[in-house]
Amino acid sequence: DGGITQSPKYLFRKEGQNVTLSCEQNLNHDAMYWYRQDPGQGLRLIYYSQIVNDFQKGDIAEGYSVSREKKESFPLTVTSAQKNPTAFYLCASSIYGQGSQPQHFGDGTRLSIL
Amino acid sequence: SQQGEEDPQALSIQEGENATMNCSYKTSINNLQWYRQNSGRGLVHLILIRSNEREKHSGRLRVTLDTSKKSSSLLITASRAADTASYFCASHASGGSYIPTFGRGTSLIVHP
């Protein structure tokens, strides 16, 4: 079955530590996205990528970094510069192109501060 | 920035009743999509309505779009306890952007 896999499901970060959230898809989608979701809030876009080796900042990129070395993979690093990292992080993918395709989501990673 | 805003923020109904959620957006759109999120899970795409469509059905779901009012509604008929979830609208602005803008969502609780 095709889909998006996020790991780990739960992650704890210590003060001053960088942590990396994994996102893998086997849907052959070109576009991938990272969102942050806080309680009672909608989704806020962190980074997105249309193609391998290219990515753009979203609305709240500060304190985060990404890479897109493979079409299937789009890991997100939450750096120590992100002072309020506790949130639910969602990865999504879609077919890239005009007309705006539906996004497919993973089941998220919940990040907490130790 | 948030373009879509759902209303109400929370909705509590009894099984068998209909549930209506509304979404407003600010700029011209290519299409608007509705997603569902069960607690602690990712979003699941429900239905897409294009800017030149006024109504669309999928099973017990009915979506309407009023571009003159920049609003959309999602109706779930004969609701079930399993419909308990948060529902989000996501609008795609016209002009070629493929990045959707999500609203804050409506939390629906259906009591058995």
Side-chain angles (χ1 to χ4, degrees), chain B residues 24-51:
Chain B
S24 61
Y25 57 91
K26 294 177 183 173
T27 63
S28 297
I29 60 170
N30 277 330
N31 66 62
L32 187 140
Q33 301 176 26
W34 284 90
Y35 290 81
R36 166 194 170 125
Q37 183 182 32
N38 285 4
S39 181
R41 304 292 299 273
L43 278 68
V44 175
H45 183 258
L46 295 175
I47 196 165
L48 179 154
I49 187 164
R50 301 188 190 284
S51 59

PDB file of all heavy atoms in Angstrom, chain B residues 24-51:
ATOM      1  N   SER B  24     -14.725  30.162   5.648  1.00  0.00           N
ATOM      2  CA  SER B  24     -14.616  31.405   4.879  1.00  0.00           C
ATOM      3  C   SER B  24     -13.178  31.591   4.448  1.00  0.00           C
ATOM      4  O   SER B  24     -12.251  31.156   5.143  1.00  0.00           O
ATOM      5  CB  SER B  24     -15.090  32.600   5.708  1.00  0.00           C
ATOM      6  OG  SER B  24     -14.287  32.744   6.864  1.00  0.00           O
ATOM      7  N   TYR B  25     -12.986  32.231   3.317  1.00  0.00           N
ATOM      8  CA  TYR B  25     -11.645  32.489   2.815  1.00  0.00           C
ATOM      9  C   TYR B  25     -11.587  33.913   2.271  1.00  0.00           C
ATOM     10  O   TYR B  25     -12.617  34.577   2.132  1.00  0.00           O
ATOM     11  CB  TYR B  25     -11.252  31.461   1.752  1.00  0.00           C
ATOM     12  CG  TYR B  25     -12.189  31.378   0.582  1.00  0.00           C
ATOM     13  CD1 TYR B  25     -11.995  32.154  -0.559  1.00  0.00           C
ATOM     14  CD2 TYR B  25     -13.282  30.519   0.607  1.00  0.00           C
ATOM     15  CE1 TYR B  25     -12.856  32.079  -1.625  1.00  0.00           C
ATOM     16  CE2 TYR B  25     -14.154  30.438  -0.458  1.00  0.00           C
ATOM     17  CZ  TYR B  25     -13.942  31.209  -1.578  1.00  0.00           C
ATOM     18  OH  TYR B  25     -14.810  31.142  -2.638  1.00  0.00           O
ATOM     19  N   LYS B  26     -10.369  34.376   1.984  1.00  0.00           N
ATOM     20  CA  LYS B  26     -10.227  35.815   1.729  1.00  0.00           C
ATOM     21  C   LYS B  26      -9.983  36.183   0.269  1.00  0.00           C
ATOM     22  O   LYS B  26     -10.380  37.261  -0.165  1.00  0.00           O
ATOM     23  CB  LYS B  26      -9.082  36.373   2.584  1.00  0.00           C
ATOM     24  CG  LYS B  26      -9.366  36.312   4.075  1.00  0.00           C
ATOM     25  CD  LYS B  26      -8.188  36.817   4.888  1.00  0.00           C
ATOM     26  CE  LYS B  26      -8.477  36.677   6.378  1.00  0.00           C
ATOM     27  NZ  LYS B  26      -7.283  37.016   7.202  1.00  0.00           N
ATOM     28  N   THR B  27      -9.292  35.314  -0.470  1.00  0.00           N
ATOM     29  CA  THR B  27      -8.953  35.692  -1.846  1.00  0.00           C
ATOM     30  C   THR B  27      -9.584  34.721  -2.829  1.00  0.00           C
ATOM     31  O   THR B  27     -10.126  33.687  -2.448  1.00  0.00           O
ATOM     32  CB  THR B  27      -7.435  35.698  -2.042  1.00  0.00           C
ATOM     33  OG1 THR B  27      -6.934  34.379  -1.842  1.00  0.00           O
ATOM     34  CG2 THR B  27      -6.763  36.635  -1.048  1.00  0.00           C
ATOM     35  N   SER B  28      -9.483  35.030  -4.111  1.00  0.00           N
ATOM     36  CA  SER B  28     -10.019  34.140  -5.140  1.00  0.00           C
ATOM     37  C   SER B  28      -9.303  32.804  -5.092  1.00  0.00           C
ATOM     38  O   SER B  28      -8.110  32.737  -4.824  1.00  0.00           O
ATOM     39  CB  SER B  28      -9.818  34.770  -6.518  1.00  0.00           C
ATOM     40  OG  SER B  28     -10.541  35.954  -6.611  1.00  0.00           O
ATOM     41  N   ILE B  29     -10.049  31.766  -5.358  1.00  0.00           N
ATOM     42  CA  ILE B  29      -9.489  30.418  -5.244  1.00  0.00           C
ATOM     43  C   ILE B  29      -9.649  29.618  -6.531  1.00  0.00           C
ATOM     44  O   ILE B  29     -10.530  29.892  -7.352  1.00  0.00           O
ATOM     45  CB  ILE B  29     -10.141  29.626  -4.086  1.00  0.00           C
ATOM     46  CG1 ILE B  29     -11.647  29.493  -4.308  1.00  0.00           C
ATOM     47  CG2 ILE B  29      -9.802  30.259  -2.744  1.00  0.00           C
ATOM     48  CD1 ILE B  29     -12.321  28.527  -3.346  1.00  0.00           C
ATOM     49  N   ASN B  30      -8.770  28.617  -6.691  1.00  0.00           N
ATOM     50  CA  ASN B  30      -8.927  27.607  -7.736  1.00  0.00           C
ATOM     51  C   ASN B  30      -9.866  26.513  -7.265  1.00  0.00           C
ATOM     52  O   ASN B  30     -10.698  26.027  -8.007  1.00  0.00           O
ATOM     53  CB  ASN B  30      -7.583  26.959  -8.079  1.00  0.00           C
ATOM     54  CG  ASN B  30      -6.791  27.770  -9.061  1.00  0.00           C
ATOM     55  OD1 ASN B  30      -7.367  28.463  -9.898  1.00  0.00           O
ATOM     56  ND2 ASN B  30      -5.476  27.696  -8.969  1.00  0.00           N
ATOM     57  N   ASN B  31      -9.655  26.098  -6.028  1.00  0.00           N
ATOM     58  CA  ASN B  31     -10.521  25.077  -5.447  1.00  0.00           C
ATOM     59  C   ASN B  31     -10.434  25.132  -3.939  1.00  0.00           C
ATOM     60  O   ASN B  31      -9.581  25.835  -3.369  1.00  0.00           O
ATOM     61  CB  ASN B  31     -10.147  23.680  -5.964  1.00  0.00           C
ATOM     62  CG  ASN B  31      -8.770  23.236  -5.502  1.00  0.00           C
ATOM     63  OD1 ASN B  31      -8.524  23.093  -4.310  1.00  0.00           O
ATOM     64  ND2 ASN B  31      -7.873  23.006  -6.444  1.00  0.00           N
ATOM     65  N   LEU B  32     -11.320  24.426  -3.299  1.00  0.00           N
ATOM     66  CA  LEU B  32     -11.323  24.334  -1.854  1.00  0.00           C
ATOM     67  C   LEU B  32     -11.496  22.872  -1.488  1.00  0.00           C
ATOM     68  O   LEU B  32     -12.287  22.151  -2.120  1.00  0.00           O
ATOM     69  CB  LEU B  32     -12.456  25.187  -1.263  1.00  0.00           C
ATOM     70  CG  LEU B  32     -12.479  25.330   0.266  1.00  0.00           C
ATOM     71  CD1 LEU B  32     -12.841  26.755   0.653  1.00  0.00           C
ATOM     72  CD2 LEU B  32     -13.412  24.329   0.894  1.00  0.00           C
ATOM     73  N   GLN B  33     -10.755  22.446  -0.500  1.00  0.00           N
ATOM     74  CA  GLN B  33     -10.796  21.044  -0.112  1.00  0.00           C
ATOM     75  C   GLN B  33     -11.149  20.923   1.364  1.00  0.00           C
ATOM     76  O   GLN B  33     -10.844  21.811   2.154  1.00  0.00           O
ATOM     77  CB  GLN B  33      -9.435  20.395  -0.378  1.00  0.00           C
ATOM     78  CG  GLN B  33      -9.038  20.485  -1.845  1.00  0.00           C
ATOM     79  CD  GLN B  33      -7.652  19.946  -2.119  1.00  0.00           C
ATOM     80  OE1 GLN B  33      -7.161  19.103  -1.387  1.00  0.00           O
ATOM     81  NE2 GLN B  33      -7.028  20.440  -3.170  1.00  0.00           N
ATOM     82  N   TRP B  34     -11.779  19.825   1.696  1.00  0.00           N
ATOM     83  CA  TRP B  34     -12.096  19.520   3.087  1.00  0.00           C
ATOM     84  C   TRP B  34     -11.338  18.266   3.501  1.00  0.00           C
ATOM     85  O   TRP B  34     -11.252  17.291   2.753  1.00  0.00           O
ATOM     86  CB  TRP B  34     -13.600  19.297   3.265  1.00  0.00           C
ATOM     87  CG  TRP B  34     -14.386  20.578   3.244  1.00  0.00           C
ATOM     88  CD1 TRP B  34     -14.930  21.194   2.152  1.00  0.00           C
ATOM     89  CD2 TRP B  34     -14.715  21.394   4.374  1.00  0.00           C
ATOM     90  NE1 TRP B  34     -15.577  22.343   2.536  1.00  0.00           N
ATOM     91  CE2 TRP B  34     -15.463  22.497   3.890  1.00  0.00           C
ATOM     92  CE3 TRP B  34     -14.465  21.323   5.741  1.00  0.00           C
ATOM     93  CZ2 TRP B  34     -15.949  23.511   4.727  1.00  0.00           C
ATOM     94  CZ3 TRP B  34     -14.949  22.320   6.568  1.00  0.00           C
ATOM     95  CH2 TRP B  34     -15.687  23.396   6.066  1.00  0.00           C
ATOM     96  N   TYR B  35     -10.812  18.337   4.724  1.00  0.00           N
ATOM     97  CA  TYR B  35     -10.060  17.231   5.296  1.00  0.00           C
ATOM     98  C   TYR B  35     -10.644  16.880   6.661  1.00  0.00           C
ATOM     99  O   TYR B  35     -11.237  17.712   7.344  1.00  0.00           O
ATOM    100  CB  TYR B  35      -8.585  17.606   5.499  1.00  0.00           C
ATOM    101  CG  TYR B  35      -7.782  17.766   4.243  1.00  0.00           C
ATOM    102  CD1 TYR B  35      -7.824  18.938   3.498  1.00  0.00           C
ATOM    103  CD2 TYR B  35      -6.934  16.740   3.806  1.00  0.00           C
ATOM    104  CE1 TYR B  35      -7.066  19.089   2.354  1.00  0.00           C
ATOM    105  CE2 TYR B  35      -6.161  16.888   2.668  1.00  0.00           C
ATOM    106  CZ  TYR B  35      -6.230  18.065   1.950  1.00  0.00           C
ATOM    107  OH  TYR B  35      -5.469  18.206   0.814  1.00  0.00           O
ATOM    108  N   ARG B  36     -10.392  15.651   7.060  1.00  0.00           N
ATOM    109  CA  ARG B  36     -10.813  15.172   8.369  1.00  0.00           C
ATOM    110  C   ARG B  36      -9.573  14.718   9.128  1.00  0.00           C
ATOM    111  O   ARG B  36      -8.642  14.168   8.554  1.00  0.00           O
ATOM    112  CB  ARG B  36     -11.758  13.987   8.162  1.00  0.00           C
ATOM    113  CG  ARG B  36     -12.038  13.155   9.396  1.00  0.00           C
ATOM    114  CD  ARG B  36     -12.682  11.841   9.014  1.00  0.00           C
ATOM    115  NE  ARG B  36     -12.722  10.961  10.168  1.00  0.00           N
ATOM    116  CZ  ARG B  36     -13.824  10.398  10.633  1.00  0.00           C
ATOM    117  NH1 ARG B  36     -14.983  10.593  10.030  1.00  0.00           N
ATOM    118  NH2 ARG B  36     -13.770   9.611  11.682  1.00  0.00           N
ATOM    119  N   GLN B  37      -9.545  14.976  10.443  1.00  0.00           N
ATOM    120  CA  GLN B  37      -8.433  14.530  11.269  1.00  0.00           C
ATOM    121  C   GLN B  37      -8.977  13.873  12.530  1.00  0.00           C
ATOM    122  O   GLN B  37      -9.612  14.541  13.353  1.00  0.00           O
ATOM    123  CB  GLN B  37      -7.523  15.707  11.649  1.00  0.00           C
ATOM    124  CG  GLN B  37      -6.310  15.278  12.451  1.00  0.00           C
ATOM    125  CD  GLN B  37      -5.433  16.448  12.875  1.00  0.00           C
ATOM    126  OE1 GLN B  37      -5.910  17.553  13.114  1.00  0.00           O
ATOM    127  NE2 GLN B  37      -4.128  16.216  12.951  1.00  0.00           N
ATOM    128  N   ASN B  38      -8.722  12.594  12.658  1.00  0.00           N
ATOM    129  CA  ASN B  38      -9.034  11.908  13.906  1.00  0.00           C
ATOM    130  C   ASN B  38      -7.960  12.265  14.932  1.00  0.00           C
ATOM    131  O   ASN B  38      -6.822  12.591  14.584  1.00  0.00           O
ATOM    132  CB  ASN B  38      -9.072  10.398  13.700  1.00  0.00           C
ATOM    133  CG  ASN B  38     -10.332   9.961  12.969  1.00  0.00           C
ATOM    134  OD1 ASN B  38     -11.134  10.780  12.548  1.00  0.00           O
ATOM    135  ND2 ASN B  38     -10.495   8.666  12.808  1.00  0.00           N
ATOM    136  N   SER B  39      -8.307  12.193  16.183  1.00  0.00           N
ATOM    137  CA  SER B  39      -7.410  12.605  17.256  1.00  0.00           C
ATOM    138  C   SER B  39      -6.067  11.892  17.168  1.00  0.00           C
ATOM    139  O   SER B  39      -6.004  10.659  17.097  1.00  0.00           O
ATOM    140  CB  SER B  39      -8.068  12.308  18.607  1.00  0.00           C
ATOM    141  OG  SER B  39      -7.219  12.715  19.665  1.00  0.00           O
ATOM    142  N   GLY B  40      -4.992  12.675  17.144  1.00  0.00           N
ATOM    143  CA  GLY B  40      -3.651  12.106  17.136  1.00  0.00           C
ATOM    144  C   GLY B  40      -3.219  11.499  15.817  1.00  0.00           C
ATOM    145  O   GLY B  40      -2.197  10.809  15.764  1.00  0.00           O
ATOM    146  N   ARG B  41      -3.968  11.759  14.748  1.00  0.00           N
ATOM    147  CA  ARG B  41      -3.644  11.196  13.442  1.00  0.00           C
ATOM    148  C   ARG B  41      -3.416  12.290  12.416  1.00  0.00           C
ATOM    149  O   ARG B  41      -3.568  13.483  12.690  1.00  0.00           O
ATOM    150  CB  ARG B  41      -4.799  10.285  12.981  1.00  0.00           C
ATOM    151  CG  ARG B  41      -5.170   9.178  13.940  1.00  0.00           C
ATOM    152  CD  ARG B  41      -4.081   8.121  14.053  1.00  0.00           C
ATOM    153  NE  ARG B  41      -3.791   7.446  12.822  1.00  0.00           N
ATOM    154  CZ  ARG B  41      -4.434   6.360  12.388  1.00  0.00           C
ATOM    155  NH1 ARG B  41      -5.436   5.857  13.091  1.00  0.00           N
ATOM    156  NH2 ARG B  41      -4.088   5.789  11.257  1.00  0.00           N
ATOM    157  N   GLY B  42      -3.026  11.885  11.219  1.00  0.00           N
ATOM    158  CA  GLY B  42      -2.875  12.850  10.146  1.00  0.00           C
ATOM    159  C   GLY B  42      -4.216  13.203   9.517  1.00  0.00           C
ATOM    160  O   GLY B  42      -5.245  12.640   9.861  1.00  0.00           O
ATOM    161  N   LEU B  43      -4.171  14.151   8.600  1.00  0.00           N
ATOM    162  CA  LEU B  43      -5.394  14.563   7.905  1.00  0.00           C
ATOM    163  C   LEU B  43      -5.679  13.623   6.749  1.00  0.00           C
ATOM    164  O   LEU B  43      -4.760  13.106   6.108  1.00  0.00           O
ATOM    165  CB  LEU B  43      -5.253  15.986   7.366  1.00  0.00           C
ATOM    166  CG  LEU B  43      -5.505  17.127   8.346  1.00  0.00           C
ATOM    167  CD1 LEU B  43      -4.435  17.207   9.411  1.00  0.00           C
ATOM    168  CD2 LEU B  43      -5.633  18.456   7.601  1.00  0.00           C
ATOM    169  N   VAL B  44      -6.953  13.439   6.503  1.00  0.00           N
ATOM    170  CA  VAL B  44      -7.402  12.607   5.390  1.00  0.00           C
ATOM    171  C   VAL B  44      -8.271  13.453   4.483  1.00  0.00           C
ATOM    172  O   VAL B  44      -9.205  14.117   4.944  1.00  0.00           O
ATOM    173  CB  VAL B  44      -8.191  11.385   5.902  1.00  0.00           C
ATOM    174  CG1 VAL B  44      -8.760  10.596   4.731  1.00  0.00           C
ATOM    175  CG2 VAL B  44      -7.308  10.492   6.771  1.00  0.00           C
ATOM    176  N   HIS B  45      -7.969  13.434   3.206  1.00  0.00           N
ATOM    177  CA  HIS B  45      -8.720  14.227   2.233  1.00  0.00           C
ATOM    178  C   HIS B  45     -10.119  13.657   2.050  1.00  0.00           C
ATOM    179  O   HIS B  45     -10.291  12.450   1.876  1.00  0.00           O
ATOM    180  CB  HIS B  45      -7.986  14.221   0.894  1.00  0.00           C
ATOM    181  CG  HIS B  45      -8.648  15.056  -0.147  1.00  0.00           C
ATOM    182  ND1 HIS B  45      -9.420  14.521  -1.153  1.00  0.00           N
ATOM    183  CD2 HIS B  45      -8.654  16.397  -0.335  1.00  0.00           C
ATOM    184  CE1 HIS B  45      -9.875  15.490  -1.905  1.00  0.00           C
ATOM    185  NE2 HIS B  45      -9.418  16.635  -1.445  1.00  0.00           N
ATOM    186  N   LEU B  46     -11.130  14.532   2.116  1.00  0.00           N
ATOM    187  CA  LEU B  46     -12.519  14.109   1.964  1.00  0.00           C
ATOM    188  C   LEU B  46     -13.070  14.452   0.585  1.00  0.00           C
ATOM    189  O   LEU B  46     -13.636  13.595  -0.096  1.00  0.00           O
ATOM    190  CB  LEU B  46     -13.398  14.784   3.023  1.00  0.00           C
ATOM    191  CG  LEU B  46     -13.135  14.410   4.492  1.00  0.00           C
ATOM    192  CD1 LEU B  46     -14.007  15.248   5.405  1.00  0.00           C
ATOM    193  CD2 LEU B  46     -13.360  12.924   4.705  1.00  0.00           C
ATOM    194  N   ILE B  47     -12.956  15.699   0.199  1.00  0.00           N
ATOM    195  CA  ILE B  47     -13.640  16.143  -1.012  1.00  0.00           C
ATOM    196  C   ILE B  47     -13.008  17.445  -1.506  1.00  0.00           C
ATOM    197  O   ILE B  47     -12.529  18.256  -0.711  1.00  0.00           O
ATOM    198  CB  ILE B  47     -15.149  16.304  -0.720  1.00  0.00           C
ATOM    199  CG1 ILE B  47     -15.965  16.373  -1.996  1.00  0.00           C
ATOM    200  CG2 ILE B  47     -15.419  17.476   0.200  1.00  0.00           C
ATOM    201  CD1 ILE B  47     -17.451  16.170  -1.761  1.00  0.00           C
ATOM    202  N   LEU B  48     -13.000  17.624  -2.808  1.00  0.00           N
ATOM    203  CA  LEU B  48     -12.481  18.837  -3.442  1.00  0.00           C
ATOM    204  C   LEU B  48     -13.603  19.447  -4.266  1.00  0.00           C
ATOM    205  O   LEU B  48     -14.299  18.731  -5.007  1.00  0.00           O
ATOM    206  CB  LEU B  48     -11.289  18.490  -4.327  1.00  0.00           C
ATOM    207  CG  LEU B  48     -10.585  19.600  -5.108  1.00  0.00           C
ATOM    208  CD1 LEU B  48      -9.127  19.203  -5.372  1.00  0.00           C
ATOM    209  CD2 LEU B  48     -11.259  19.911  -6.435  1.00  0.00           C
ATOM    210  N   ILE B  49     -13.779  20.751  -4.149  1.00  0.00           N
ATOM    211  CA  ILE B  49     -14.759  21.451  -4.970  1.00  0.00           C
ATOM    212  C   ILE B  49     -14.037  22.569  -5.717  1.00  0.00           C
ATOM    213  O   ILE B  49     -13.257  23.329  -5.127  1.00  0.00           O
ATOM    214  CB  ILE B  49     -15.952  21.969  -4.126  1.00  0.00           C
ATOM    215  CG1 ILE B  49     -17.041  22.547  -5.039  1.00  0.00           C
ATOM    216  CG2 ILE B  49     -15.508  22.968  -3.062  1.00  0.00           C
ATOM    217  CD1 ILE B  49     -18.379  22.721  -4.345  1.00  0.00           C
ATOM    218  N   ARG B  50     -14.246  22.634  -7.021  1.00  0.00           N
ATOM    219  CA  ARG B  50     -13.567  23.614  -7.844  1.00  0.00           C
ATOM    220  C   ARG B  50     -14.345  24.937  -7.839  1.00  0.00           C
ATOM    221  O   ARG B  50     -15.539  24.967  -7.538  1.00  0.00           O
ATOM    222  CB  ARG B  50     -13.410  23.094  -9.270  1.00  0.00           C
ATOM    223  CG  ARG B  50     -12.628  21.798  -9.311  1.00  0.00           C
ATOM    224  CD  ARG B  50     -12.283  21.356 -10.726  1.00  0.00           C
ATOM    225  NE  ARG B  50     -11.749  19.995 -10.722  1.00  0.00           N
ATOM    226  CZ  ARG B  50     -10.525  19.674 -10.330  1.00  0.00           C
ATOM    227  NH1 ARG B  50      -9.707  20.604  -9.893  1.00  0.00           N
ATOM    228  NH2 ARG B  50     -10.121  18.421 -10.348  1.00  0.00           N
ATOM    229  N   SER B  51     -13.666  25.987  -8.232  1.00  0.00           N
ATOM    230  CA  SER B  51     -14.270  27.319  -8.150  1.00  0.00           C
ATOM    231  C   SER B  51     -15.481  27.472  -9.058  1.00  0.00           C
ATOM    232  O   SER B  51     -16.336  28.329  -8.813  1.00  0.00           O
ATOM    233  CB  SER B  51     -13.233  28.396  -8.478  1.00  0.00           C
ATOM    234  OG  SER B  51     -12.711  28.207  -9.771  1.00  0.00           O
TER     235      SER B  51
END
